[in-house]
Amino acid sequence: MRRVLVIGSGITGCAAALELAHQGYSVDVLESAAGVGGKILGYCCKATIECARCGVCVAHTRVAQAVKHPNIRFLAAMSLQSVRRDAKGFAARAVQQHPAIRLSACTACGACAKACPARCITRYNRGGLVQYSINHAKCLRRRRRACAKCVAACPAAAIAGDGLSGAADLSADAVLVATGHQAFDARGKPWLGYSQVPNVLNGEEAEAILANRMFLRGPNDDVAFVQCVGSRDPELGRNYCSAVCCAYATRMARVIRHRNPASNVTVYLIDLQNFDKTFSRLRAQLAAEGVRLVRSAPSSIDPLPGGRLSVKREGVAGAAAVAEHDVVVLSVGMGPAAGAAELADQLGLRRDEFGFFEPGTPGVFVAGTCAEPRSILDSIASGEAVAAQILEALADPGRPARESTADNPNLRKIKLSPGVLVLGGGLAGARVAGELKALGYRPVVLEQAARTGGGASSAAEFERLLADVDVLTDATLSRLTGCIGSFHASVRAGKTARDIDCGAIVVCTGNARQDAGRDLFDFDRILPAGDLAAAVARLPRKDRPRAVGIILDLKVEETNAGTAQAFQTALRVIEQHHAEVYVFLREVRVAAKGLETLYDDARNAGVNVVKYEGPLRLKTIEDGVEISARDALLGRDAIILCQMVGVSPCGLSAAADAGLAALLGVHTDCLGQMQDNNAHLFPALSNRPGIFLAGACRSRYHPPEVIADAKAAAMRVHSLLSRKHLIVELSNATVETTKCALCLTCARTCPHGAMTVDDEKRKAVSRPETCQRCGICVGECPARAIELPASVIE
Amino acid sequence: MKKPGKRPKQRLVVFCCENSAAKAAESAAGDPMLKGVEFVRVPCAGRVEIRHILKRIEAGAAVLALACPLDNCKYIHGNRRTLKRVDRVKQVLKDAGIEEGRVRMEFLSSVDPHKLVNVIKEAKRP
Amino acid sequence: MITAERKPFGEIADMVQDAKKLLILGCGSCVTVCMAGGEKEVAMLASAMRLANRKAGRKADIREATIERQCDREWFDKVAEDIEWADAVLSMACGVGAQFCGEAFEGKRVVPALNTKFYGATERQGVWVERCAGCGKCVLADFGGVCPIARCSKSLLNGPCGGSQDGKCEVDPDRLDCGWQLIHDRMKLLGLLDRLEAVQPLKDWSAGGDGGPGRIVREDATL
């Protein structure tokens, strides 16, 4: 049995451990704290009546699953003393830091807590995660007092006898570093008053308060959030965006406003990062809900007599402004966790200039926020992706435990077809196919165009990824029947028709927005931003443009991908052709590794950045294209003449191929992109079991994000198909023939595509392998013909 | 004999989605506010039918339907379906001349036990 | 199918307020499909009645039942006892079913709970649209499969009126397409536009609703 040592029991470590454990790997998860779960334990739900997709609930579910998984062993309150490579992989020694409760044995009865004379055993019970942990600071044994009351009280022998001297020798084939991050200590910016001025909190403290209470302090408080505290700050040596602060601050701001619509909530920010799948809608909601966004970085926070806080800031055009608030939350950014340097030495890992781990050395893997700032949901995705990477690196895709159906007549064994159909041969599709190949599958890739490659360019990489993969070009899906484990796809490739049986489908149909600018582009002066550099280079020297414009955020909110492309293009144009470059954008989107420094490099190289607001107009005149927009920083109109203009396709709005979505039965979100904007599905799931998504079709555009997406999707496919058989309980919805009016309501309202009409039986039927037992159909059926045996609630 | 002037306490039935409110209720177990409340666990708020709600209202109870926040339904849109059903129940109550407040719907996640206590407190308020 | 909508509660309650024993009778066919009178709607209406009665201090017994179809006499057999028991039957079928129930049980007061609307199709979940007016002599073949009688607000047979604007009907431009625009578009698609030049003769409305109560006799099917 393969063994993996995971360092860190946060959401990344748990997500990866679950995937590996599911594949039959044995996983040890080392945690230095007394309880498992990491930072999410202190975070709050940020939903109003609508989910804000912060991922805290989903993360709790994952951690709770990991805690219950028989292949995962948690070693809490233990730290890594040494690790060395040996013939088999790694030999590590972990030492017990203080007494801890073994979660695998703990039944959460609470006897220890009752028995503890120092009341140092606390119970965490939230989101389905129940755990007891020993607060070492208060434990009598810390003061060398002989106390073993908890040990004696535990009926499950989950607490070790002496506790303090424990050590464990661990062997592993691979090590996963998932040690997470540490929030910026806001005392590093003393003018903001943190730890000096009452009612100045940091983001983590605000999270912890809202995890237990409805308001930060009182319902009528005027609350302000200050962004970029310890992020995007070269003076502090932290010249990167922490990617999550815009998200948590605006989400908490919404919650506070929602709970008391009469309260004032302000967010002081520099740029608002695009952190949601349907961000354009989210911004409209923020405005509608009355969260004030003020573009400024406060220069000081001081107490006023009477307890309020005075927040001073630079206003537009240098004018100073002062505002009063009751509570100020400093949105502190992420930095490397304490001990990262030591761990890097132990494992031979490199760190980037800010201290985050670089991708690992052989056998050592890195995921989550210890590698770069990431949200909870992206950390989960990172954990899933790294699991695929580990399986591939060890050349052992694993073997899930076989379930037996022998003694349970209610179970049915359904054979899974090993085939996988990948729709789209762009970056995501090729990556998914490459990963699946490495995991032992033979995917078939359908590419609509005459060649693979999509919007990406590296031909050599595509060749490598798609070597030995069955690729059909000029191919489209014309019909899809069947369900998870046994889909039947009718495909037209060129002039031939072909039927493909597959157990799973991965949709990687890319960025529909590529086609969105047809009415805008003339492909002469105005063209997609990605084609700009090459188009300039193709021109004879004398015809090359003196000024080039690149426009972002034209119709919808830009993503990291647009920024990366724009500034890379800008740098190329400046370096190669010495043209002037103007980048028009509404926000500087730099919420991914390396983008802040790219932005700075471009500025230093002379790229002019115009932050605009309101509409932007393009007018073709004799000498070029006139770009006019209102400069948000200077508060006046800017008109710039450029000979060539590139428009980022990511800033254009266009729906996914609605026909394809309907054919697949996959939902689209409110912006028309594939996949519901639902945290339970991220990263790779669709509403239909067995159909997965990756990349730009689900609004992930930035290449590193697309690659992580592809790995996570491959992991999901593997997790499904490696079981060979699907064991389903026959507790799915049943339909009474005499009552069924064949009205199709169930088929239309089932979100999973589980309900169909059986022509022979003359009634609706549910597919047991697809039915999720939610009971929505039961609630919808106008004839009361459907029952869900598993949940009778008369 | 009931004391004059004091309204009899109304029974409160709470439908709990097992992905959110039921977990929150487990976390909040023991809170005095939850005392006397009847919890009905459902696999998804979308499982709750109009007749389930009406039957309990007919029996004299007030009903609180608790679902996951919108766009957070594990089954995609079960909560939205139930929101529409609750609106129909309110129409029925209006038709019958009964206060619509006898049925309420709230949205909360599994990690919000304090919010659960809060919405139950609101629902108990006559 | 025949589509219907439930009457407002107040109107229903007024019709049956003197009934001490009330049977609410649903229909399992068209009105179940269009969600107006199936088993669930019966239960909902019954609940509303019980709650309203209690609120008003009225005492009434309410029974609920749903049969396959109220437009076939035999299906009533299953609920004959309940019908006999009741002072009034509140039929949740279309006008046909409600009437037929009264015919099957003469002397029993049968009142309709639904307003019957039109012959329609399910456009999408929860939305039903009219497609046929039951004129008795189908002319779809002449109009590319789009019915000028059901889809034109004026049932014009020889082209649109002046109220056709941007493909919409002036009766309700937000909601209604101009039937003649649809006919034109479809005929164009089918390459049959020239056929619209033919003048349609005066229509014989007596084949449908205007010829007195309709009756179909199939000699070979009668016993």
Side-chain angles (χ1 to χ4, degrees):
Chain A
M1 191 189 256
R2 295 281 187 176
R3 305 185 73 92
V4 175
L5 171 64
V6 177
I7 308 175
S9 74
I11 183 55
T12 309
C14 283
L18 264 177
E19 296 302 328
L20 293 167
H22 181 80
Q23 293 312 123
Y25 276 48
S26 174
V27 186
D28 286 329
V29 182
L30 209 57
E31 171 58 55
S32 58
V36 308
K39 296 232 181 238
I40 61 146
L41 306 184
Y43 292 164
C44 64
C45 166
K46 298 167 198 75
T48 56
I49 70 165
E50 276 184 66
C51 174
R53 291 161 290 277
C54 68
V56 173
C57 60
V58 178
H60 273 77
T61 307
R62 290 282 175 114
V63 175
Q65 282 170 349
V67 165
K68 287 185 192 121
H69 202 291
N71 288 2
I72 304 177
R73 181 168 63 146
F74 283 94
L75 302 160
M78 288 188 101
S79 64
L80 190 67
Q81 189 187 52
S82 66
V83 58
R84 60 183 170 78
R85 286 176 197 270
D86 62 13
K88 280 180 283 176
F90 296 86
R93 187 172 171 81
V95 289
Q96 191 80 43
Q97 292 299 301
H98 50 80
I101 296 168
R102 272 191 305 129
L103 279 179
S104 52
C106 175
T107 58
C109 69
C112 55
K114 283 197 197 87
C116 177
R119 296 181 176 280
C120 77
I121 297 183
T122 53
R123 172 185 162 95
Y124 183 89
N125 181 356
R126 206 161 69 112
L129 174 65
V130 185
Q131 59 174 329
Y132 283 82
S133 54
I134 299 174
N135 178 357
H136 183 51
K138 293 204 293 188
C139 179
L140 294 179
R141 277 179 286 188
R142 187 168 183 232
R143 280 173 261 155
R144 311 232 177 271
R145 299 248 301 270
C147 174
K149 292 233 166 63
C150 57
V151 179
C154 179
I159 310 174
D162 56 358
L164 276 173
S165 60
D169 287 311
L170 310 164
S171 68
D173 299 292
V175 178
L176 170 60
V177 179
T179 46
H181 67 278
Q182 186 173 308
F184 173 69
D185 182 350
R187 285 176 300 184
K189 293 184 110 178
W191 52 90
L192 295 179
Y194 179 70
S195 87
Q196 302 295 319
V197 180
N199 298 323
V200 177
L201 312 169
N202 71 20
E204 288 194 338
E205 289 162 348
E207 291 261 11
I209 294 171
L210 291 179
N212 291 298
R213 281 169 41 189
M214 298 299 277
F215 294 98
L216 286 176
R217 214 186 53 171
N220 298 315
D221 282 345
D222 182 319
V223 180
F225 290 82
V226 176
Q227 298 307 104
C228 294
V229 178
S231 305
R232 304 188 67 189
D233 193 337
E235 279 166 33
L236 293 170
R238 303 169 75 98
N239 196 24
Y240 55 87
C241 170
S242 291
V244 298
C245 329
C246 283
Y248 73 66
T250 51
R251 285 165 176 160
M252 281 195 272
R254 280 185 70 194
V255 166
I256 295 167
R257 270 286 298 185
H258 180 79
R259 290 179 183 172
N260 179 11
S263 63
N264 283 324
V265 184
T266 309
V267 181
Y268 294 103
L269 50 81
I270 304 169
D271 294 292
L272 193 56
Q273 301 301 320
N274 180 337
F275 55 82
D276 193 70
K277 188 165 181 285
T278 61
F279 188 80
S280 297
R281 177 165 164 268
L282 190 109
R283 184 192 287 271
Q285 282 176 330
L286 280 174
E289 285 162 6
V291 173
R292 283 177 63 219
L293 302 180
V294 176
R295 225 172 265 279
S296 167
S299 52
S300 72
I301 298 172
D302 299 296
L304 292 170
R308 298 198 86 195
L309 299 165
S310 147
V311 176
K312 202 176 286 168
R313 65 176 197 270
E314 305 292 311
V316 174
V322 179
E324 286 185 24
H325 302 284
D326 296 309
V327 178
V328 173
V329 180
L330 305 179
S331 297
V332 287
M334 290 185 177
E342 199 186 344
L343 190 62
D345 287 344
Q346 279 176 312
L347 291 166
L349 280 172
R350 282 180 302 117
R351 299 202 297 156
D352 69 13
E353 57 181 310
F354 307 117
F356 293 103
F357 295 123
E358 296 282 12
T361 52
V364 181
F365 300 82
V366 171
T369 57
C370 66
E372 64 174 297
R374 281 187 169 105
S375 67
I376 292 172
L377 293 173
D378 284 347
S379 296
I380 293 176
S382 154
E384 290 181 6
V386 84
Q389 232 173 306
I390 292 171
L391 298 178
E392 287 165 27
L394 297 181
D396 182 352
R399 185 183 238 197
R402 292 284 159 87
E403 297 164 82
S404 164
T405 54
D407 42 2
N408 189 340
N410 274 327
L411 295 180
R412 191 192 288 170
K413 202 169 180 178
I414 296 167
K415 195 165 165 32
L416 292 162
S417 158
V420 187
L421 182 62
V422 179
L423 301 180
L427 178 60
R431 274 282 172 170
V432 168
E435 299 287 336
L436 287 171
K437 198 174 64 179
L439 289 166
Y441 296 88
R442 298 172 56 88
V444 179
V445 176
L446 288 197
E447 170 55 48
Q448 183 180 291
R451 57 168 196 91
T452 55
S457 48
S458 166
E461 197 195 352
F462 271 76
E463 227 159 84
R464 180 180 67 77
L465 290 169
L466 293 174
D468 307 322
V469 172
D470 194 357
V471 180
L472 307 177
T473 51
D474 276 324
T476 49
L477 181 70
S478 50
R479 198 171 122 86
L480 183 71
T481 57
C483 66
I484 180 171
S486 57
F487 289 106
H488 314 291
S490 306
V491 170
R492 259 194 306 272
K495 282 178 185 148
T496 57
R498 189 170 147 181
D499 287 332
I500 297 170
D501 286 346
C502 52
I505 295 172
V506 189
V507 185
C508 307
T509 45
N511 185 357
R513 292 177 186 169
Q514 298 284 9
D515 301 326
R518 290 228 166 102
D519 53 337
L520 182 74
F521 303 137
D522 59 14
F523 297 98
D524 190 20
R525 289 187 186 281
I526 306 175
L527 55 169
D531 303 342
L532 190 63
V536 172
R538 269 199 305 272
L539 292 173
R541 192 166 290 267
K542 64 177 175 58
D543 294 340
R544 290 206 181 141
R546 294 182 301 282
V548 168
I550 300 174
I551 296 164
L552 307 179
D553 296 310
L554 191 60
K555 290 185 178 150
V556 295
E557 306 265 353
E558 197 61 58
T559 65
N560 293 329
T563 321
Q565 190 182 57
F567 288 103
Q568 279 158 5
T569 304
L571 279 171
R572 269 177 71 188
V573 170
I574 285 195
E575 282 159 15
Q576 294 173 4
H577 313 296
H578 311 292
E580 279 201 63
V581 181
Y582 294 87
V583 176
F584 284 78
L585 42 70
R586 292 177 199 270
E587 312 275 356
V588 182
R589 277 357 190 306
V590 284
K593 193 163 183 154
L595 289 190
E596 185 77 51
T597 39
L598 171 68
Y599 174 66
D600 278 2
D601 290 348
R603 299 272 306 237
N604 292 337
V607 174
N608 303 290
V609 175
V610 181
K611 255 188 173 181
Y612 69 99
E613 59 188 8
L616 179 141
R617 273 181 284 274
L618 294 175
K619 195 169 132 197
T620 306
I621 55 173
E622 200 184 333
D623 193 30
V625 181
E626 212 175 69
I627 308 169
S628 52
R630 188 172 175 78
D631 189 316
L633 295 182
L634 301 175
R636 61 174 188 229
D637 291 341
I639 300 176
I640 288 165
L641 178 69
C642 293
Q643 283 70 47
M644 281 182 104
V645 175
V647 180
S648 168
C650 295
L652 299 173
S653 59
D657 182 344
L660 179 67
L663 199 151
L664 293 166
V666 168
H667 293 170
T668 50
D669 64 24
C670 65
L671 299 185
Q673 307 161 126
M674 289 232 200
Q675 192 185 43
D676 298 276
N677 195 9
N678 183 317
H680 290 280
L681 301 180
F682 297 160
L685 306 186
S686 76
N687 55 302
R688 281 201 70 184
I691 301 185
F692 305 95
L693 307 129
C697 69
R698 66 168 213 101
S699 79
R700 300 295 270 182
Y701 302 101
H702 192 41
E705 292 165 3
V706 173
I707 290 167
D709 238 30
K711 283 181 185 161
M715 189 62 231
R716 290 262 65 86
V717 171
H718 181 52
S719 176
L720 167 69
L721 297 184
S722 58
R723 285 183 281 182
K724 309 272 195 271
H725 291 90
L726 205 57
I727 310 289
V728 294
E729 200 176 327
L730 297 179
S731 58
N732 53 312
T734 56
V735 181
E736 199 178 313
T737 316
T738 52
K739 284 188 167 184
C740 177
L742 292 162
C743 68
L744 295 165
T745 296
C746 53
R748 293 189 189 114
T749 52
C750 173
H752 311 108
M755 300 301 294
T756 52
V757 165
D758 185 319
D759 291 341
E760 280 173 20
K761 290 183 185 151
R762 304 260 316 139
K763 66 167 182 176
V765 289
S766 88
R767 295 181 173 122
E769 58 273 54
T770 312
C771 176
Q772 305 289 302
R773 285 92 176 141
C774 61
I776 292 175
C777 57
V778 186
E780 294 296 323
C781 174
R784 272 189 72 188
I786 312 182
E787 275 190 48
L788 192 67
S791 74
V792 180
I793 43 162
E794 281 317 315
Chain B
M1 276 288 281
K2 281 175 194 140
K3 278 184 198 162
K6 196 175 176 190
R7 281 175 60 170
K9 258 201 176 160
Q10 192 166 51
R11 202 161 59 90
L12 179 65
V13 179
V14 182
F15 288 101
C16 287
C17 165
E18 65 184 17
N19 298 295
S20 53
K23 285 182 184 171
E26 280 165 23
S27 304
D31 190 291
M33 195 48 73
L34 271 50
K35 216 177 143 195
V37 174
E38 184 192 332
F39 289 97
V40 182
R41 209 181 155 98
V42 286
C44 171
R47 173 71 183 86
V48 180
E49 297 171 48
I50 288 173
R51 62 190 183 89
H52 293 140
I53 300 173
L54 284 173
K55 201 175 131 182
R56 279 150 178 101
I57 290 176
E58 279 189 56
V63 172
L64 175 61
L66 293 180
C68 305
L70 300 175
D71 286 343
N72 188 286
C73 176
K74 188 177 171 192
Y75 307 113
I76 319 296
H77 58 212
N79 47 6
R80 284 185 193 275
R81 302 306 307 163
T82 303
L83 179 60
K84 292 194 171 190
R85 290 178 206 154
V86 167
D87 283 346
R88 277 213 75 187
V89 172
K90 282 185 194 284
Q91 183 61 47
V92 168
L93 297 183
K94 204 172 148 193
D95 287 343
I98 294 171
E99 30 160 352
E100 291 168 48
R102 281 280 286 279
V103 62
R104 280 163 175 255
M105 181 152 187
E106 296 282 351
F107 304 87
L108 60 91
S109 79
S110 61
V111 292
D112 261 355
H114 69 286
K115 199 174 161 191
L116 174 99
V117 173
N118 209 58
V119 297
I120 287 179
K121 191 167 137 195
E122 294 283 317
K124 277 184 165 179
R125 197 174 289 164
Chain C
M1 92 188 112
I2 296 172
T3 60
E5 274 180 322
R6 209 197 75 189
K7 286 175 177 290
F9 181 79
E11 190 184 336
I12 297 172
D14 284 348
M15 289 189 295
V16 296
Q17 64 171 332
D18 52 342
K20 294 276 174 277
K21 287 180 278 183
L22 180 69
L23 172 67
I24 303 179
L25 187 58
C27 177
S29 300
C30 309
V31 294
T32 292
V33 176
C34 70
M35 299 184 174
E39 189 169 333
K40 280 227 176 109
E41 291 294 322
V42 169
M44 214 181 312
L45 183 56
S47 265
M49 298 290 291
R50 280 191 293 265
L51 287 166
N53 284 344
R54 196 181 308 161
K55 178 87 183 170
R58 274 193 300 269
K59 282 221 181 329
D61 266 353
I62 295 173
R63 286 189 189 174
E64 306 164 35
T66 302
I67 59 173
E68 182 69 29
R69 279 199 300 279
Q70 293 190 27
C71 50
D72 274 307
R73 212 175 289 263
E74 291 85 340
W75 293 113
F76 289 111
D77 292 350
K78 280 188 182 170
V79 289
E81 208 174 289
D82 294 322
I83 294 175
E84 298 294 354
W85 162 85
D87 296 335
V89 177
L90 185 53
S91 168
M92 294 196 84
C94 66
V96 178
Q99 236 178 100
F100 211 57
C101 180
E103 283 176 41
F105 297 86
E106 279 186 351
K108 189 61 64 183
R109 192 153 68 91
V110 180
V111 291
L114 307 186
N115 291 323
T116 306
K117 305 291 278 192
F118 49 77
Y119 302 127
T122 313
E123 190 181 65
R124 58 193 157 88
Q125 180 63 20
V127 179
W128 294 274
V129 286
E130 182 167 4
R131 285 293 182 266
C132 176
C135 73
K137 190 171 186 314
C138 190
V139 293
L140 281 174
D142 294 342
F143 301 99
V146 181
C147 176
I149 300 158
R151 315 250 348 237
C152 167
S153 298
K154 291 178 176 169
S155 300
L156 297 177
L157 288 165
N158 282 297
C161 70
S164 174
Q165 293 280 330
D166 302 322
K168 295 291 173 184
C169 171
E170 66 174 352
V171 169
D172 187 350
D174 294 334
R175 210 168 51 85
L176 285 181
D177 289 325
C178 166
W180 269 95
Q181 183 75 48
L182 299 172
I183 292 168
H184 179 272
D185 293 349
R186 179 72 63 79
M187 290 297 263
K188 194 173 170 188
L189 185 72
L190 297 173
L192 300 172
L193 257 190
D194 54 321
R195 291 204 192 173
L196 284 182
E197 310 241 331
V199 175
Q200 288 288 326
L202 286 176
K203 183 157 175 78
D204 175 10
W205 295 104
S206 70
D210 286 7
R215 184 178 180 80
I216 300 169
V217 180
R218 270 283 298 270
E219 268 314 324
D220 59 331
T222 55
L223 292 174

